[in-house]
């Protein structure tokens, strides 16, 4: 399925959330959960300073969502993330029953910025590959096909990982 104008708008917001996380000393990652109508239910930035490399924005958001919403409600929601979720975050999406994922830039794009940085040892494992081994039908939309949007998503990462 193609990315809608609303999807792109919500991805823009994930880039803003990521920037806010970076301004707080965290890694520049952001995620949000939206309902079927595109209403934002939850937002979450990375919290590296609180819990290290395991405190990814997507996983934190999904764990909060699981406490607030039923699996049936979550099945009707979309997780938006500035970057393609790693295997841990994709697993959290799977286990919380969110059935749609939209991301801006790929895990491979991220690897170009992070390299072998020990704070973010990127997997070479796409979210599509992770969900292909499960039993749920999960729609994955991404990466964004809008070059300006991808450039905005990647902007904070260009220098961030060089300074780590």
């Amino acid at each position: 399925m193609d990315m809608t104008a609303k999807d792109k708008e919500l991805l823009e917001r994930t880039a803003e959330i990521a920037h806010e996380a970076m301004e707080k000393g965290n890694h520049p990652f952001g995620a949000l959960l939206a309902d079927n109508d595109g209403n934002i239910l939850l937002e979450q930035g990375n919290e590296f300073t609180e819990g290290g490399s395991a405190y990814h924005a997507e996983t934190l958001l999904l764990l909060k969502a699981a406490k607030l919403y039923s699996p049936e409600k979550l099945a009707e929601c979309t997780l938006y993330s500035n970057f393609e979720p790693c295997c841990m975050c994709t697993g959290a999406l799977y286990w919380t029953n969110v059935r749609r994922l939209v991301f801006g830039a790929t895990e491979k794009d991220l690897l170009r910025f992070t390299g072998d940085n020990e704070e973010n040892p990127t997997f070479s494992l796409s979210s599509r590959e992770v969900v292909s081994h499960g039993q749920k039908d999960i729609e994955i939309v991404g990466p964004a096909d809008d070059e300006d949007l991808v450039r905005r998503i990647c902007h904070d990462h260009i220098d961030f990982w060089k300074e780590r």
Side-chain angles (χ1 to χ4, degrees), residues 7-18:
D7 289 336
K8 291 177 183 180
E9 176 186 324
L10 292 171
L11 280 176
E12 289 273 0
R13 178 64 192 134
T14 67
E16 293 168 2
I17 296 165

Side-chain angles (χ1 to χ4, degrees), residues 100-118:
R100 185 167 186 263
L101 166 64
V102 177
F103 66 88
T106 68
E107 186 87 353
K108 288 182 181 178
D109 292 329
L110 179 60
L111 183 59
R112 287 193 342 251
F113 301 115
T114 62
D116 63 354
N117 189 296
E118 65 184 37

Side-chain angles (χ1 to χ4, degrees), residues 93-156:
L93 173 119
Y94 180 88
W95 289 111
T96 57
N97 207 38
V98 173
R99 298 294 179 103
R100 185 167 186 263
L101 166 64
V102 177
F103 66 88
T106 68
E107 186 87 353
K108 288 182 181 178
D109 292 329
L110 179 60
L111 183 59
R112 287 193 342 251
F113 301 115
T114 62
D116 63 354
N117 189 296
E118 65 184 37
E119 289 184 8
N120 194 30
T122 305
F123 273 89
S124 270
L125 187 61
S126 74
S127 56
R128 285 181 175 87
E129 186 173 350
V130 173
V131 301
S132 75
H133 294 280
Q135 299 176 29
K136 298 179 181 182
D137 185 23
I138 298 172
E139 177 187 357
I140 299 176
V141 180
D145 57 2
D146 179 327
E147 288 183 32
D148 289 333
L149 175 57
V150 173
R151 193 172 8 266
R152 285 189 297 278
I153 287 169
C154 294
H155 181 265
D156 286 331

